[in-house]
Amino acid sequence: MSRILIVEDEKKIARFLELELSHEGYEVLTAGDGRTGLETALREQPDLIVLDLMLPELSGIEVCRRLRHESDVPIIMLTAKDDVSDKVMGLDMGADDYMTKPFAIEELLARIRVGLKKHRDGASGAPASVLKAGQLTLDPSSYAVSFDGQPISLTKKEFDLLHYLMLHKGQAVTRDALLSDVWGYDYAGDTNVVDVYIRYLRHKIDDVFGIRTIQTIRAVGYMFIYE
Ligand code: CA
């Protein structure tokens, strides 16, 4: 049985989620503020966390950031704000997914299943091999990226995106494919999150080392071209 931690200060929502998730057969833990949420997550090691963004004591973003030092548990962020910068910040801090309130419970349940499955698949898979393009090296087992031996600090999502692009070197990949394969589902209409992350990668790699790694393919998406 999978254990899910709900970190949500709005009691009605927390109670509703607890009932729905229990009904689905999950074991449910709850925490009503960010600090308790973080402590519970570290102590109980749940299989997935549903984390509200706006929380007393410690914000959802901060909980996420601190948790990521210790754990790669799937995190679905709940946000009341339909604001791309909030979502991007949440994803940047290591959340795997987010939902804007109000949401349909069926959709949250679907994303929980995706999150749990991705995590399981990732944990049981064979170790992924080190990728090289020119002087750029990416090691999936240690989440390390370097250029000519110099380490490049990437967030989890930047790393996943670069990993995916490098695996598809020389192939044009669409924004939709990136969203579904890197972010895990269809973000319907919100593809600018991909563009934002491509900018981050270019800023951290191309601008710093004076190379060109990712080409924009007009009206399609992106292609990793560096070799
Ligand atoms: Ca809240």
Side-chain angles (χ1 to χ4, degrees):
M1 190 198 309
S2 295
R3 293 207 300 166
I4 298 180
L5 170 62
I6 299 165
V7 189
E8 166 66 85
D9 59 316
E10 287 168 70
K11 291 205 172 62
K12 275 167 89 173
I13 297 180
R15 183 74 190 132
F16 169 70
L17 291 176
E18 188 180 6
L19 288 172
E20 290 286 341
L21 295 181
S22 305
H23 184 71
E24 290 295 309
Y26 297 114
E27 187 184 335
V28 182
L29 307 162
T30 58
D33 65 75
R35 191 166 304 279
T36 311
L38 180 63
E39 285 165 7
T40 309
L42 294 174
R43 190 181 60 237
E44 302 290 339
Q45 306 278 314
D47 298 298
L48 183 140
I49 301 176
V50 177
L51 179 64
D52 188 31
L53 187 73
M54 303 288 279
L55 289 167
E57 304 288 329
L58 215 56
S59 76
I61 298 273
E62 192 55 27
V63 171
C64 207
R65 197 182 68 78
R66 295 193 194 182
L67 253 180
R68 277 293 173 254
H69 292 303
E70 314 270 336
S71 154
D72 64 346
V73 60
I75 299 174
I76 299 177
M77 200 91 121
L78 300 180
T79 164
K81 299 175 188 169
D82 193 11
D83 177 345
V84 171
S85 68
D86 264 353
K87 293 171 188 171
V88 168
M89 203 201 289
L91 296 171
D92 219 18
M93 287 303 142
D96 299 87
D97 203 348
Y98 64 82
M99 296 205 63
T100 306
K101 293 183 200 171
F103 52 82
I105 186 68
E106 291 74 19
E107 192 176 358
L108 179 64
L109 292 172
R111 294 194 190 182
I112 286 173
R113 285 192 293 271
V114 170
L116 289 169
K117 180 172 187 304
K118 263 180 84 174
H119 196 64
R120 266 198 307 273
D121 292 351
S124 61
S129 51
V130 173
L131 301 178
K132 284 186 199 296
Q135 290 155 290
L136 191 67
T137 304
L138 178 147
D139 182 354
S141 63
S142 59
Y143 279 98
V145 179
S146 62
F147 182 85
D148 198 16
Q150 291 182 62
I152 302 170
S153 173
L154 300 181
T155 64
K156 170 98 169 35
K157 223 26 116 176
E158 290 165 354
F159 182 91
D160 290 345
L161 178 58
L162 180 64
H163 188 198
Y164 186 88
L165 288 166
M166 286 181 79
L167 282 172
H168 296 82
K169 187 160 87 176
Q171 301 166 29
V173 286
T174 65
R175 288 180 178 79
D176 286 342
L178 289 169
L179 282 174
S180 67
D181 293 350
V182 177
W183 274 265
Y185 64 92
D186 180 12
Y187 263 67
D190 202 6
T191 56
N192 53 1
V193 71
V194 173
D195 303 328
V196 169
Y197 274 84
I198 293 284
R199 270 207 302 281
Y200 290 163
L201 284 179
R202 284 173 171 159
H203 179 68
K204 288 185 175 180
I205 301 171
D206 296 25
D207 295 356
V208 174
F209 301 103
I211 55 173
R212 191 151 169 267
T213 55
I214 301 162
Q215 185 178 353
T216 304
I217 312 293
R218 254 167 67 94
V220 178
Y222 296 98
M223 182 161 73
F224 188 88
I225 52 164
Y226 181 66
E227 47 194 336

PDB file of all heavy atoms in Angstrom, residues 131-133 136-138 145 161-170 224:
ATOM      1  N   LEU A 131      26.337  10.159 -20.506  1.00  0.00           N
ATOM      2  CA  LEU A 131      26.240  10.707 -21.863  1.00  0.00           C
ATOM      3  C   LEU A 131      27.326  11.750 -22.060  1.00  0.00           C
ATOM      4  O   LEU A 131      27.612  12.544 -21.167  1.00  0.00           O
ATOM      5  CB  LEU A 131      24.866  11.358 -22.074  1.00  0.00           C
ATOM      6  CG  LEU A 131      23.641  10.461 -21.890  1.00  0.00           C
ATOM      7  CD1 LEU A 131      22.368  11.278 -22.078  1.00  0.00           C
ATOM      8  CD2 LEU A 131      23.669   9.295 -22.880  1.00  0.00           C
ATOM      9  N   LYS A 132      27.892  11.746 -23.272  1.00  0.00           N
ATOM     10  CA  LYS A 132      28.908  12.750 -23.591  1.00  0.00           C
ATOM     11  C   LYS A 132      28.570  13.416 -24.917  1.00  0.00           C
ATOM     12  O   LYS A 132      28.130  12.763 -25.858  1.00  0.00           O
ATOM     13  CB  LYS A 132      30.281  12.089 -23.719  1.00  0.00           C
ATOM     14  CG  LYS A 132      30.921  11.722 -22.394  1.00  0.00           C
ATOM     15  CD  LYS A 132      32.331  11.203 -22.658  1.00  0.00           C
ATOM     16  CE  LYS A 132      32.877  10.400 -21.488  1.00  0.00           C
ATOM     17  NZ  LYS A 132      33.061  11.140 -20.263  1.00  0.00           N
ATOM     18  N   ALA A 133      28.774  14.736 -24.958  1.00  0.00           N
ATOM     19  CA  ALA A 133      28.665  15.479 -26.216  1.00  0.00           C
ATOM     20  C   ALA A 133      29.785  16.504 -26.162  1.00  0.00           C
ATOM     21  O   ALA A 133      29.777  17.369 -25.289  1.00  0.00           O
ATOM     22  CB  ALA A 133      27.307  16.153 -26.326  1.00  0.00           C
ATOM     23  N   LEU A 136      30.972  18.157 -22.941  1.00  0.00           N
ATOM     24  CA  LEU A 136      29.872  18.124 -21.978  1.00  0.00           C
ATOM     25  C   LEU A 136      29.597  16.678 -21.563  1.00  0.00           C
ATOM     26  O   LEU A 136      29.446  15.797 -22.404  1.00  0.00           O
ATOM     27  CB  LEU A 136      28.630  18.728 -22.633  1.00  0.00           C
ATOM     28  CG  LEU A 136      27.434  19.044 -21.746  1.00  0.00           C
ATOM     29  CD1 LEU A 136      27.755  20.173 -20.771  1.00  0.00           C
ATOM     30  CD2 LEU A 136      26.245  19.450 -22.619  1.00  0.00           C
ATOM     31  N   THR A 137      29.544  16.446 -20.250  1.00  0.00           N
ATOM     32  CA  THR A 137      29.313  15.101 -19.738  1.00  0.00           C
ATOM     33  C   THR A 137      28.137  15.129 -18.762  1.00  0.00           C
ATOM     34  O   THR A 137      28.044  16.027 -17.923  1.00  0.00           O
ATOM     35  CB  THR A 137      30.563  14.597 -18.977  1.00  0.00           C
ATOM     36  OG1 THR A 137      31.676  14.665 -19.853  1.00  0.00           O
ATOM     37  CG2 THR A 137      30.377  13.155 -18.519  1.00  0.00           C
ATOM     38  N   LEU A 138      27.247  14.169 -18.907  1.00  0.00           N
ATOM     39  CA  LEU A 138      26.095  14.077 -18.018  1.00  0.00           C
ATOM     40  C   LEU A 138      26.033  12.666 -17.441  1.00  0.00           C
ATOM     41  O   LEU A 138      26.009  11.696 -18.182  1.00  0.00           O
ATOM     42  CB  LEU A 138      24.818  14.414 -18.798  1.00  0.00           C
ATOM     43  CG  LEU A 138      23.484  14.339 -18.054  1.00  0.00           C
ATOM     44  CD1 LEU A 138      22.518  15.399 -18.594  1.00  0.00           C
ATOM     45  CD2 LEU A 138      22.856  12.968 -18.160  1.00  0.00           C
ATOM     46  N   VAL A 145      26.606  17.069 -14.034  1.00  0.00           N
ATOM     47  CA  VAL A 145      26.878  17.566 -15.373  1.00  0.00           C
ATOM     48  C   VAL A 145      28.146  18.401 -15.294  1.00  0.00           C
ATOM     49  O   VAL A 145      28.337  19.164 -14.349  1.00  0.00           O
ATOM     50  CB  VAL A 145      25.719  18.445 -15.905  1.00  0.00           C
ATOM     51  CG1 VAL A 145      26.033  18.982 -17.286  1.00  0.00           C
ATOM     52  CG2 VAL A 145      24.415  17.657 -15.932  1.00  0.00           C
ATOM     53  N   LEU A 161      15.607  17.644 -18.170  1.00  0.00           N
ATOM     54  CA  LEU A 161      15.392  18.175 -19.516  1.00  0.00           C
ATOM     55  C   LEU A 161      16.639  17.984 -20.377  1.00  0.00           C
ATOM     56  O   LEU A 161      16.562  17.516 -21.518  1.00  0.00           O
ATOM     57  CB  LEU A 161      15.019  19.664 -19.418  1.00  0.00           C
ATOM     58  CG  LEU A 161      14.803  20.410 -20.727  1.00  0.00           C
ATOM     59  CD1 LEU A 161      13.704  19.772 -21.571  1.00  0.00           C
ATOM     60  CD2 LEU A 161      14.461  21.881 -20.454  1.00  0.00           C
ATOM     61  N   LEU A 162      17.790  18.328 -19.823  1.00  0.00           N
ATOM     62  CA  LEU A 162      19.045  18.165 -20.572  1.00  0.00           C
ATOM     63  C   LEU A 162      19.285  16.691 -20.891  1.00  0.00           C
ATOM     64  O   LEU A 162      19.682  16.337 -22.009  1.00  0.00           O
ATOM     65  CB  LEU A 162      20.211  18.738 -19.763  1.00  0.00           C
ATOM     66  CG  LEU A 162      21.592  18.641 -20.443  1.00  0.00           C
ATOM     67  CD1 LEU A 162      21.628  19.488 -21.717  1.00  0.00           C
ATOM     68  CD2 LEU A 162      22.706  19.066 -19.487  1.00  0.00           C
ATOM     69  N   HIS A 163      19.024  15.842 -19.927  1.00  0.00           N
ATOM     70  CA  HIS A 163      19.188  14.399 -20.107  1.00  0.00           C
ATOM     71  C   HIS A 163      18.343  13.926 -21.299  1.00  0.00           C
ATOM     72  O   HIS A 163      18.819  13.234 -22.185  1.00  0.00           O
ATOM     73  CB  HIS A 163      18.759  13.689 -18.815  1.00  0.00           C
ATOM     74  CG  HIS A 163      19.065  12.219 -18.805  1.00  0.00           C
ATOM     75  ND1 HIS A 163      18.466  11.343 -17.944  1.00  0.00           N
ATOM     76  CD2 HIS A 163      19.897  11.472 -19.565  1.00  0.00           C
ATOM     77  CE1 HIS A 163      18.919  10.115 -18.171  1.00  0.00           C
ATOM     78  NE2 HIS A 163      19.789  10.164 -19.150  1.00  0.00           N
ATOM     79  N   TYR A 164      17.098  14.346 -21.301  1.00  0.00           N
ATOM     80  CA  TYR A 164      16.183  13.934 -22.368  1.00  0.00           C
ATOM     81  C   TYR A 164      16.669  14.441 -23.727  1.00  0.00           C
ATOM     82  O   TYR A 164      16.699  13.701 -24.710  1.00  0.00           O
ATOM     83  CB  TYR A 164      14.777  14.470 -22.061  1.00  0.00           C
ATOM     84  CG  TYR A 164      13.733  13.974 -23.028  1.00  0.00           C
ATOM     85  CD1 TYR A 164      13.073  12.768 -22.801  1.00  0.00           C
ATOM     86  CD2 TYR A 164      13.405  14.697 -24.167  1.00  0.00           C
ATOM     87  CE1 TYR A 164      12.116  12.300 -23.688  1.00  0.00           C
ATOM     88  CE2 TYR A 164      12.455  14.240 -25.063  1.00  0.00           C
ATOM     89  CZ  TYR A 164      11.814  13.037 -24.808  1.00  0.00           C
ATOM     90  OH  TYR A 164      10.872  12.572 -25.702  1.00  0.00           O
ATOM     91  N   LEU A 165      17.059  15.714 -23.762  1.00  0.00           N
ATOM     92  CA  LEU A 165      17.527  16.291 -25.033  1.00  0.00           C
ATOM     93  C   LEU A 165      18.782  15.572 -25.526  1.00  0.00           C
ATOM     94  O   LEU A 165      18.931  15.298 -26.721  1.00  0.00           O
ATOM     95  CB  LEU A 165      17.799  17.795 -24.860  1.00  0.00           C
ATOM     96  CG  LEU A 165      16.550  18.670 -24.711  1.00  0.00           C
ATOM     97  CD1 LEU A 165      16.932  20.063 -24.219  1.00  0.00           C
ATOM     98  CD2 LEU A 165      15.803  18.768 -26.042  1.00  0.00           C
ATOM     99  N   MET A 166      19.688  15.266 -24.609  1.00  0.00           N
ATOM    100  CA  MET A 166      20.928  14.585 -25.009  1.00  0.00           C
ATOM    101  C   MET A 166      20.654  13.167 -25.494  1.00  0.00           C
ATOM    102  O   MET A 166      21.318  12.674 -26.408  1.00  0.00           O
ATOM    103  CB  MET A 166      21.934  14.574 -23.848  1.00  0.00           C
ATOM    104  CG  MET A 166      22.568  15.944 -23.611  1.00  0.00           C
ATOM    105  SD  MET A 166      23.782  15.939 -22.256  1.00  0.00           S
ATOM    106  CE  MET A 166      25.236  15.222 -23.063  1.00  0.00           C
ATOM    107  N   LEU A 167      19.676  12.514 -24.873  1.00  0.00           N
ATOM    108  CA  LEU A 167      19.307  11.165 -25.326  1.00  0.00           C
ATOM    109  C   LEU A 167      18.749  11.205 -26.748  1.00  0.00           C
ATOM    110  O   LEU A 167      18.815  10.223 -27.474  1.00  0.00           O
ATOM    111  CB  LEU A 167      18.243  10.559 -24.388  1.00  0.00           C
ATOM    112  CG  LEU A 167      18.730  10.007 -23.058  1.00  0.00           C
ATOM    113  CD1 LEU A 167      17.532   9.635 -22.176  1.00  0.00           C
ATOM    114  CD2 LEU A 167      19.618   8.784 -23.259  1.00  0.00           C
ATOM    115  N   HIS A 168      18.183  12.365 -27.113  1.00  0.00           N
ATOM    116  CA  HIS A 168      17.594  12.517 -28.451  1.00  0.00           C
ATOM    117  C   HIS A 168      18.442  13.446 -29.325  1.00  0.00           C
ATOM    118  O   HIS A 168      17.915  14.198 -30.124  1.00  0.00           O
ATOM    119  CB  HIS A 168      16.161  13.038 -28.335  1.00  0.00           C
ATOM    120  CG  HIS A 168      15.245  12.081 -27.644  1.00  0.00           C
ATOM    121  ND1 HIS A 168      15.160  11.986 -26.268  1.00  0.00           N
ATOM    122  CD2 HIS A 168      14.408  11.129 -28.121  1.00  0.00           C
ATOM    123  CE1 HIS A 168      14.297  11.032 -25.945  1.00  0.00           C
ATOM    124  NE2 HIS A 168      13.832  10.505 -27.041  1.00  0.00           N
ATOM    125  N   LYS A 169      19.732  13.383 -29.119  1.00  0.00           N
ATOM    126  CA  LYS A 169      20.656  14.263 -29.857  1.00  0.00           C
ATOM    127  C   LYS A 169      20.406  14.194 -31.370  1.00  0.00           C
ATOM    128  O   LYS A 169      20.278  13.114 -31.940  1.00  0.00           O
ATOM    129  CB  LYS A 169      22.097  13.852 -29.546  1.00  0.00           C
ATOM    130  CG  LYS A 169      23.144  14.792 -30.108  1.00  0.00           C
ATOM    131  CD  LYS A 169      24.453  14.614 -29.387  1.00  0.00           C
ATOM    132  CE  LYS A 169      25.298  13.509 -29.989  1.00  0.00           C
ATOM    133  NZ  LYS A 169      26.611  13.406 -29.328  1.00  0.00           N
ATOM    134  N   GLY A 170      20.322  15.386 -32.000  1.00  0.00           N
ATOM    135  CA  GLY A 170      20.130  15.422 -33.447  1.00  0.00           C
ATOM    136  C   GLY A 170      18.696  15.202 -33.894  1.00  0.00           C
ATOM    137  O   GLY A 170      18.401  15.189 -35.079  1.00  0.00           O
ATOM    138  N   PHE A 224      18.897  19.070 -29.530  1.00  0.00           N
ATOM    139  CA  PHE A 224      20.236  19.112 -28.978  1.00  0.00           C
ATOM    140  C   PHE A 224      21.212  18.885 -30.129  1.00  0.00           C
ATOM    141  O   PHE A 224      21.141  17.877 -30.824  1.00  0.00           O
ATOM    142  CB  PHE A 224      20.412  18.040 -27.896  1.00  0.00           C
ATOM    143  CG  PHE A 224      21.715  18.168 -27.149  1.00  0.00           C
ATOM    144  CD1 PHE A 224      21.809  18.977 -26.029  1.00  0.00           C
ATOM    145  CD2 PHE A 224      22.853  17.514 -27.587  1.00  0.00           C
ATOM    146  CE1 PHE A 224      23.004  19.131 -25.338  1.00  0.00           C
ATOM    147  CE2 PHE A 224      24.061  17.655 -26.903  1.00  0.00           C
ATOM    148  CZ  PHE A 224      24.139  18.464 -25.784  1.00  0.00           C
TER     149      PHE A 224
END
